[in-house]
Amino acid sequence: MNKIFLIIRQKLIILSIAIFFIVLIKCFFFKKTNIDNMKDFELFEQTVMTHPVDLEKIRVLLGSIKRNNINDGYSKLSSLIAANVFQEHFLFDEAKNELIWLSNVSKYNLFQYIAKLRLSNVFVNMSEYDKALECLKNPPKSFESLFDNSRGDVFFAQGKLSKAIENWKLSLNNMDKNDPLFKIIQLKIDSCN
């Protein structure tokens, strides 16, 4: 009985030591990767803030950030920022590609829903209204009013004022009256009447 106990104890000690070293190596690797991504993100952020914006450098840094760790917050935030820069420079296809990537890689979280809202706006700029409306289907409860507002904007861009007003009113019904967006949406409705 003591021999079995000693063998089990010895194996547990060896297993514990192996697990300790594996965890130590993973912590070191994760920390190094996280620090590298943080540095890349800081450089990316500085590049975005320069004037004039160096679009090629943004593309290179974005690719590096996404390549290093596709599922961390830096890659998702960088993609969202890059899409905004591309849209500001009327590079709608590049903005669209970033937002599609982001909505696919970020299933069921904040980034996915923000990407869908922004993607609908890009499709409106490209006059692809059906695709814009497709992005705005099935929002989570917490995003319903924002999706309704954006849906109203799409209908407004199409010249469908009654549908636009209907969606903006839905948005107001799900929104707190103290929300700053409430007054803006109310102004949209009032300007159509």
Side-chain angles (χ1 to χ4, degrees):
M1 185 74 167
N2 282 342
K3 259 187 170 177
I4 294 174
F5 178 73
L6 288 174
I7 291 171
I8 292 173
R9 183 175 167 211
Q10 190 176 27
K11 286 184 179 184
L12 284 174
I13 290 171
I14 291 171
L15 182 62
S16 297
I17 291 171
I19 290 172
F20 173 76
F21 280 111
I22 289 170
V23 168
L24 187 66
I25 290 168
K26 281 192 168 200
C27 286
F28 175 76
F29 178 74
F30 176 76
K31 188 174 182 180
K32 182 179 179 346
T33 302
N34 203 23
I35 289 171
D36 289 345
N37 275 358
M38 186 174 67
K39 287 179 182 177
D40 286 346
F41 181 75
E42 287 174 359
L43 186 56
F44 173 83
E45 197 174 34
Q46 289 170 0
T47 303
V48 168
M49 301 303 260
T50 60
H51 186 72
V53 175
D54 185 347
L55 293 170
E56 191 54 40
K57 191 172 182 181
I58 286 175
R59 290 179 186 107
V60 168
L61 288 168
L62 178 63
S64 174
I65 291 168
K66 286 166 64 175
R67 204 173 24 260
N68 286 342
N69 195 348
I70 201 166
N71 283 320
D72 74 354
Y74 293 120
S75 63
K76 294 171 185 175
L77 187 56
S78 298
S79 183
L80 196 60
I81 292 169
N84 189 55
V85 170
F86 294 146
Q87 190 172 0
E88 287 175 354
H89 287 85
F90 305 103
L91 300 169
F92 298 121
D93 284 329
E94 287 186 74
K96 177 183 75 172
N97 292 339
E98 284 308 314
L99 294 168
I100 288 172
W101 174 84
L102 186 56
S103 65
N104 289 332
V105 78
S106 302
K107 293 290 184 192
Y108 310 112
N109 72 30
L110 181 65
F111 284 110
Q112 180 190 33
Y113 303 122
I114 292 171
K116 286 184 175 193
L117 284 167
R118 301 274 306 284
L119 185 57
S120 73
N121 185 275
V122 170
F123 281 130
V124 167
N125 285 318
M126 298 172 77
S127 300
E128 296 181 21
Y129 304 113
D130 291 337
K131 289 180 182 179
L133 291 171
E134 187 67 31
C135 293
L136 300 171
K137 287 185 175 178
N138 305 318
K141 186 79 174 150
S142 58
F143 275 78
E144 274 182 349
S145 63
L146 293 173
F147 275 60
D148 289 334
N149 176 47
S150 290
R151 210 173 291 112
D153 293 346
V154 173
F155 287 125
F156 182 79
Q158 287 180 296
K160 298 178 180 178
L161 295 183
S162 62
K163 282 189 171 189
I165 292 170
E166 178 185 324
N167 279 275
W168 288 331
K169 285 182 178 179
L170 281 172
S171 180
L172 291 180
N173 289 339
N174 293 320
M175 188 179 290
D176 183 72
K177 290 185 180 192
N178 293 324
D179 190 316
L181 191 55
F182 188 92
K183 291 179 182 178
I184 294 170
I185 296 170
Q186 188 61 58
L187 282 171
K188 290 181 196 180
I189 293 169
D190 293 343
S191 70
C192 290
N193 290 327

